[in-house]
Amino acid sequence: MKQLRKYIRQVLLVEAAKNILDLPPDVYIGIDDMGDEIAIFFCDSEGNSKRLGNINMELPPRAAGPCNGAYLITWVEATSGYGPLLYDLAMEYATRKGGGLTADRKTVQDDAIRVWDYYASQRGDVNPIQLDAYEDGTEKSCRMKAATKNNPDWKQSALSKAWKKSDVILSQLEATKKIIYM
């Protein structure tokens, strides 16, 4: 029964996920890159939010460790179906910046865990980089509270990894002039 529920959630995630072809003609992607913090959101041609969703990420605070240079998700809010697109955009942009993307190190909502698990089990176009739960100061050391909670084998958790993805969507948006850099 548990496997069936997991399968149904995965099917719903795929069926409901929107892509850039689903964007209304008056909707663009805005990227506000402040260096350590980045916001990606749906906007109009002037950069004003369309309130379809946004995803924020930042470099890890010193206490979390270097996390191999990956950006941490700090906030996600999206209307139905637009969340996975935001995650893909964030992952592509964070990969461009260098270290890729990883989940928040403290808490991760159940919906977000399903997205990360989907990347791990169903997406061949993303590349995981195993992070290290030990806080020994090495490049890959990264606090793992979210990944280790209720999971004795934390290395199996999608949350224990940084994820990288080629910038296919970003390149398409740039080619069609549907992206606005702030």
Side-chain angles (χ1 to χ4, degrees):
M1 187 65 151
K2 187 176 180 179
Q3 286 293 89
L4 179 60
R5 275 192 227 125
K6 184 177 179 180
Y7 174 75
I8 290 170
R9 280 190 200 114
Q10 287 178 342
V11 168
L12 290 174
L13 184 62
V14 172
E15 293 298 320
K18 305 232 186 253
N19 62 47
I20 60 171
L21 298 175
D22 296 316
L23 291 177
D26 64 336
V27 174
Y28 295 75
I29 301 298
I31 298 182
D32 189 2
D33 186 340
M34 299 157 275
D36 288 355
E37 297 178 39
I38 300 166
I40 299 175
F41 55 97
F42 298 101
C43 62
D44 64 17
S45 62
E46 303 295 316
N48 301 307
S49 175
K50 290 295 257 182
R51 301 188 196 262
L52 292 172
N54 65 292
I55 190 166
N56 297 348
M57 57 186 167
E58 64 184 36
L59 287 174
R62 187 178 197 117
C67 300
N68 207 45
Y71 279 80
L72 314 177
I73 296 291
T74 56
W75 179 260
V76 180
E77 182 177 46
T79 57
S80 182
Y82 286 104
L85 178 57
L86 285 171
Y87 272 89
D88 274 8
L89 289 166
M91 190 178 297
E92 288 186 14
Y93 196 74
T95 299
R96 268 190 187 179
K97 298 279 286 186
L101 188 68
T102 191
D104 184 75
R105 306 326 296 157
K106 294 179 185 173
T107 59
V108 181
Q109 300 296 318
D110 289 342
D111 287 344
I113 291 171
R114 284 191 286 277
V115 171
W116 292 110
D117 286 344
Y118 187 80
Y119 279 121
S121 65
Q122 304 294 319
R123 295 284 300 268
D125 61 331
V126 297
N127 300 308
I129 291 114
Q130 182 64 55
L131 298 174
D132 187 348
Y134 307 108
E135 296 178 24
D136 59 5
T138 60
E139 187 63 27
K140 290 186 178 185
S141 67
C142 192
R143 177 191 237 167
M144 294 279 171
K145 184 176 180 186
T148 57
K149 185 179 179 184
N150 301 325
N151 191 351
D153 190 6
W154 58 269
K155 282 189 174 185
Q156 298 304 312
S157 171
L159 305 181
S160 74
K161 295 159 182 48
W163 296 88
K164 290 189 170 192
K165 181 179 182 304
S166 298
D167 61 18
V168 175
I169 301 170
L170 286 173
S171 294
Q172 290 173 344
L173 289 167
E174 289 167 344
T176 58
K177 301 188 182 342
K178 292 286 280 183
I179 194 163
I180 299 170
Y181 292 101
M182 309 288 168

